[in-house]
Amino acid sequence: VTRGIDGIARTLVAAPMTEALAATRRQILVGLKEVYGETNQLRGGIRAAEARARELEEAVTRTSAELREARAEAATDPLTTLPNRGAFDLAMAEGIEAARRLKRPLALALVDIDHFKRVNDVWGHGVGDVVLRNLSAKIQQEVRGQDTAARYGGEEFGIVLQGASETVAFGLAERIRHRVESEPVLIRQDDSADGVEFQIPITLSAGVAVLREGETALSLLKRADQALYLAKAGGRNRVCPQA
């Protein structure tokens, strides 16, 4: 628009004409000048609107990122960085729905540290926290990409295994159990009450159950818990399948 106005103005100024037409030309030029000024104001308003739109877009991006971060934080156990109980329940519900829709198996493993109370009583809760973080890291390293490992509560962890048979779930739990047994937890000086570095041997027990036709999440959890109880009652440091 501005370029068009400039072209018209130059043409009018350069064109030879009578005095009567010159007066009309002056009026037209004045009008064009006003239009030119209004066009510049409009252009400035557009630039301001574009700048404001960019600011709003950046604010929305920041807010979305903060919201995702808040949701992730709300679903994460702060000590172990594993998903928390709420995230575990959601993974169970979504896993069962997908298992039925895709007609594939779903397994659940419950893992519990043997004699964890003794760890807290003898070495303190700070050392107990180190043990929990250590086990969490090992579980995270052993689970498959499609699995969800979560801190179920206290020293107990739950693993939802998508598309896993009892054999696969049992094998995973057994690998975790064997690794924990063979790798004592190193307690560094900073975490030790008396400033001495030492190792704590840890074992765990686990129960495994596979989703049955028409079964609820609560029922599956109950059967996995029963299998865990059998592992504890059978001497600990072992994995027991569903009854």
Side-chain angles (χ1 to χ4, degrees), residues 105-109 144 146-148 159-165 168-169 172:
L106 175 82
L108 171 63
R144 306 169 306 164
Q146 66 268 39
D147 301 332
T148 300
I159 307 172
V160 181
L161 297 100
Q162 299 275 4
S165 63
V168 171
L172 174 67

Side-chain angles (χ1 to χ4, degrees), residues 8-37:
I8 294 172
R10 283 193 297 270
T11 300
L12 289 172
V13 170
M17 57 186 64
T18 65
E19 181 59 30
L21 289 177
T24 301
R25 178 176 63 181
R26 285 192 294 273
Q27 292 177 352
I28 294 174
L29 289 172
V30 170
L32 289 175
K33 184 177 180 180
E34 292 176 354
V35 172
Y36 187 85

Side-chain angles (χ1 to χ4, degrees), residues 15-150:
M17 57 186 64
T18 65
E19 181 59 30
L21 289 177
T24 301
R25 178 176 63 181
R26 285 192 294 273
Q27 292 177 352
I28 294 174
L29 289 172
V30 170
L32 289 175
K33 184 177 180 180
E34 292 176 354
V35 172
Y36 187 85
E38 293 174 356
T39 303
N40 281 334
Q41 290 179 0
L42 178 61
R43 183 165 51 206
I46 291 174
R47 288 174 178 170
E50 289 175 342
R52 180 57 179 163
R54 286 193 296 271
E55 291 177 1
L56 290 174
E57 184 178 358
E58 291 172 357
V60 169
T61 301
R62 288 194 303 271
T63 301
S64 298
E66 291 169 357
L67 181 58
R68 288 193 298 271
E69 184 178 344
R71 286 175 175 170
E73 184 177 345
T76 302
D77 174 62
L79 176 63
T80 64
T81 70
L82 285 175
N84 58 21
R85 174 62 185 272
F88 171 81
D89 291 340
L90 180 59
M92 281 275 287
E94 292 178 345
I96 290 174
E97 189 278 330
R100 289 174 177 158
R101 175 167 45 85
L102 301 175
K103 299 187 184 305
R104 67 183 184 187
L106 175 82
L108 171 63
L110 291 183
V111 176
D112 188 272
I113 301 174
D114 295 328
H115 303 298
F116 183 69
K117 184 178 183 300
R118 184 185 303 169
V119 173
N120 285 330
D121 291 344
V122 175
W123 290 288
H125 289 276
V127 170
D129 289 348
V130 174
V131 171
L132 289 171
R133 287 195 295 266
N134 183 275
L135 174 58
S136 301
K138 289 172 181 174
I139 291 176
Q140 285 178 308
Q141 292 163 7
E142 294 295 334
V143 296
R144 306 169 306 164
Q146 66 268 39
D147 301 332
T148 300

Side-chain angles (χ1 to χ4, degrees), residues 204-215:
L204 60 81
S205 300
V208 172
V210 176
L211 182 68
R212 293 173 177 171
E213 185 69 26
E215 188 172 37

Side-chain angles (χ1 to χ4, degrees), residues 106-109 166 169 207-211 220-221 223-225 227 240-242:
L106 175 82
L108 171 63
E166 181 179 311
V208 172
V210 176
L211 182 68
L220 175 61
L221 186 61
R223 290 193 300 107
D225 192 56
C240 281
Q242 59 194 2

Side-chain angles (χ1 to χ4, degrees), residues 141-191:
Q141 292 163 7
E142 294 295 334
V143 296
R144 306 169 306 164
Q146 66 268 39
D147 301 332
T148 300
R151 186 181 182 189
Y152 184 70
E155 68 273 21
E156 192 170 3
F157 299 81
I159 307 172
V160 181
L161 297 100
Q162 299 275 4
S165 63
E166 181 179 311
T167 301
V168 171
F170 187 93
L172 174 67
E174 181 61 25
R175 286 198 305 274
I176 295 172
R177 185 206 64 77
H178 176 72
R179 182 176 175 183
V180 169
E181 180 187 27
S182 60
E183 299 177 7
V185 179
L186 175 64
I187 307 300
R188 303 187 182 278
Q189 293 179 350
D190 293 343
D191 299 312

